[in-house]
Amino acid sequence: MTSNDIAILAPRRPDGGRLLLAGRVAHCFDDYREFRESGLKPAAFIIRCTDAAATGDWLRQVRRDPDHAARLVFVEGAVSDTDAAIGDGPLPDSVTALTERIDASAARAQAIRGKDDDRSPAALLLEYLWLRPGAVLEPRADWRHPRLYHYPLLDALERGDADPQDWLQQLDRDGLLTRGELRARQRECDFCGSAHLRFIDVCPSCRSIDIDQHAALHCFTCGLVAPEDRFTHGGGRCCPKCGSHLRHIGTDYDRPLETTACGSCQHVFVEGEVVAHCAICDHSMAPTALRLHKLWSWRLSSLGCLVAQGRSQAQSPALFDTQHYATRGHFLHSLDWLLKIGRSQGTRLALVGLRLRNGRELAAALGGGRCAQLLDSFAERLRELLAEADLGCRLDQETLCLLLPGADRKRLKQLERQLGELQQRALQPEGIGPQWGMAEMSPDSADTDAGRLLARLEQRLGGPAEARVAA
């Protein structure tokens, strides 16, 4: 339970380690690990530090701590602009203002029910926004960040290797966040998502960067187009290919539109081919292959306010996505219902799971954008193979579950063969395509819990020896 006390984080702490601040006990710590070991759950933090880098470290430690990530954190001292975005501003000037901020946050925290159940970064973001009425999640530009524009708060909340943009988009799809103003648009690398790109012209024939502008001539006799200096011979002009003397423009030769020449292969052309080169992952691609990323400001939606208070997300009316795959909640509800029917009427039921086995290889070979499009296309084709009574669910980008009422061994064999055909058709010109591991289960009368049954299926998919590759 959260106390009314305050935690002060500072390089040096006073003797005794405690102060009286705004009518509350302020506990002082010079090490975050020591604070964690104390078991204190303060109503707010105050960071007192004159070193901006150290202040940033304190801020990130608080925001990455799932038990305290949404707490108020005030800064008294130096802080960088980027790190300031994940704090709650400078320490209020008056005791009254500080007390009002803490009391207002505590009052909203009391409305949160069951908040300890989900401490994922996405859930903590919703809680963070709920505790700060009118708070707006803003993108910031930072040349040191691979994406250039990013959301500092999302980066601070993310404790693992997941891309914060993925769960931000999921919150948008679930209707838990509302878009504000469009702050920026940028093109990003299709392989790693970086916005640090350089654009350069290359030869369209050999792709060399050794190209330059030259005056060119076109010999009417043999058709050669080449830089003018190659035609210069003595005091006149002579074609280096056929030896014709070029005396009269319009009769012997003319000046073509091709004014760029390659120093490597001598190819002459009008314009070079523009290539985008990523400074982070070293991949090159056409500008048309770059991702377009729109950077919005975000606010908590009405549904997001309910979810942040601990109410079920199942209140959302959306049961299916645009490809008619069920949400996880609806899938579990349907599975539970069919299990009950199976126990009372003895009907047959099959549960099939698919997990992508070569996701990293696909992304490395095709880039993130093409990889996502390929997986979406595969899921759409798979949905077309299912019967009207069948139900599918995309647990994540690389995992699908199918609920097949009445399916027998013959139907499962047919599905496995069709999956193999889909994989063959999805093979890309680069020689790579999605490889799906498949696991199946036929629930019996002992299976009564849909959540546990789905968890068992996911465990089978997680082990490469237990999930065979569809062929």
Side-chain angles (χ1 to χ4, degrees), residues 6-166:
I6 296 173
I8 297 179
L9 306 176
R12 294 181 180 180
R13 61 178 178 176
D15 295 336
R18 292 187 180 183
L19 298 172
L20 192 63
L21 181 64
R24 304 165 189 263
V25 177
H27 303 259
C28 302
F29 303 92
D30 57 10
D31 182 78
Y32 196 78
R33 182 180 300 175
E34 180 188 5
F35 160 73
R36 287 291 298 166
E37 293 173 350
S38 72
L40 180 67
K41 293 191 175 181
F45 290 86
I46 297 175
I47 299 177
R48 287 178 172 171
C49 187
T50 57
D51 183 354
T55 300
D57 290 339
W58 286 114
L59 281 166
R60 284 185 289 275
Q61 287 185 79
V62 175
R63 294 300 179 220
R64 285 198 172 97
D65 186 340
D67 293 330
H68 306 284
R71 294 278 187 270
L72 292 172
V73 184
F74 301 107
V75 174
E76 186 179 22
V79 62
S80 68
D81 291 340
T82 300
D83 291 331
I86 64 177
D88 290 283
L91 182 67
D93 296 331
S94 66
V95 171
T96 301
L98 175 61
T99 302
E100 289 177 352
R101 290 284 301 274
I102 295 177
D103 290 344
S105 178
R108 294 184 73 84
Q110 290 179 356
I112 297 176
R113 297 177 294 180
K115 72 183 192 64
D116 292 329
D117 294 339
D118 185 0
R119 309 307 290 165
S120 65
L124 290 172
L125 174 63
L126 298 181
E127 182 180 334
Y128 178 97
L129 296 174
W130 163 253
L131 294 176
R132 296 159 177 81
V136 180
L137 180 65
E138 293 280 3
R140 296 184 68 89
D142 185 351
W143 63 269
R144 293 162 297 186
H145 195 277
R147 274 206 158 120
L148 187 58
Y149 273 95
H150 69 119
Y151 297 88
L153 180 60
L154 301 191
D155 294 338
L157 291 174
E158 177 54 53
R159 304 184 296 273
D161 297 328
D163 186 350
Q165 292 291 335
D166 293 340

Side-chain angles (χ1 to χ4, degrees), residues 251-324:
T251 303
D252 302 322
Y253 69 96
D254 65 2
R255 297 185 180 276
L257 295 176
E258 292 87 346
T259 58
T260 307
C262 174
S264 298
C265 69
Q266 311 306 317
H267 181 57
V268 180
F269 46 93
V270 178
E271 292 181 346
E273 181 180 335
V274 179
V275 174
H277 186 85
C278 178
I280 302 299
C281 69
D282 206 35
H283 276 94
S284 296
M285 65 216 77
T288 54
L290 297 173
R291 307 179 199 169
L292 174 61
H293 187 186
K294 296 182 179 181
L295 284 302
W296 300 86
S297 62
W298 298 93
R299 296 178 183 271
L300 201 60
S301 69
S302 299
L303 178 60
C305 290
L306 296 178
V307 174
Q309 296 174 65
R311 302 186 183 185
S312 174
Q313 191 172 334
Q315 295 181 24
S316 172
L319 300 179
F320 296 90
D321 62 15
T322 55
Q323 293 182 322
H324 206 66

Side-chain angles (χ1 to χ4, degrees), residues 168-326:
L168 177 64
Q169 293 172 9
Q170 186 62 50
L171 291 173
D172 178 31
R173 288 192 293 268
D174 291 341
L176 304 181
L177 295 178
T178 300
R179 290 181 181 180
E181 296 184 14
L182 181 62
R183 299 301 190 191
R185 298 168 72 248
Q186 67 181 17
R187 299 284 178 176
E188 297 176 347
C189 173
D190 192 40
F191 288 83
C192 70
S194 169
H196 291 274
L197 306 167
R198 61 183 177 90
F199 297 85
I200 190 168
D201 296 343
V202 300
C203 172
S205 177
C206 70
R207 305 186 68 81
S208 169
I209 62 173
D210 184 15
I211 60 175
D212 203 356
Q213 296 288 326
H214 290 280
L217 297 181
H218 173 211
C219 174
F220 285 173
T221 303
C222 65
L224 175 66
V225 177
E228 185 174 5
D229 56 6
R230 292 185 57 193
F231 288 84
T232 303
H233 184 70
R237 293 190 177 99
C238 180
C239 177
K241 182 178 180 181
C242 66
S244 300
H245 291 280
L246 309 181
R247 297 183 177 87
H248 305 289
I249 188 169
T251 303
D252 302 322
Y253 69 96
D254 65 2
R255 297 185 180 276
L257 295 176
E258 292 87 346
T259 58
T260 307
C262 174
S264 298
C265 69
Q266 311 306 317
H267 181 57
V268 180
F269 46 93
V270 178
E271 292 181 346
E273 181 180 335
V274 179
V275 174
H277 186 85
C278 178
I280 302 299
C281 69
D282 206 35
H283 276 94
S284 296
M285 65 216 77
T288 54
L290 297 173
R291 307 179 199 169
L292 174 61
H293 187 186
K294 296 182 179 181
L295 284 302
W296 300 86
S297 62
W298 298 93
R299 296 178 183 271
L300 201 60
S301 69
S302 299
L303 178 60
C305 290
L306 296 178
V307 174
Q309 296 174 65
R311 302 186 183 185
S312 174
Q313 191 172 334
Q315 295 181 24
S316 172
L319 300 179
F320 296 90
D321 62 15
T322 55
Q323 293 182 322
H324 206 66
Y325 278 91

Side-chain angles (χ1 to χ4, degrees), residues 323 325 354 356 372-385 394 400 418-426 434-436 470:
Q323 293 182 322
Y325 278 91
L354 300 173
L356 188 67
Q373 292 175 1
L374 182 62
L375 297 184
D376 287 343
S377 177
F378 185 94
E380 186 174 351
R381 299 293 180 269
L382 176 62
R383 188 67 189 86
E384 294 172 356
L385 298 177
R394 297 187 73 172
L400 298 99
Q418 291 173 324
L419 285 173
E421 294 174 355
L422 280 181
Q423 288 186 155
Q424 290 298 321
R425 290 204 296 268
Q435 296 180 2
W436 295 88

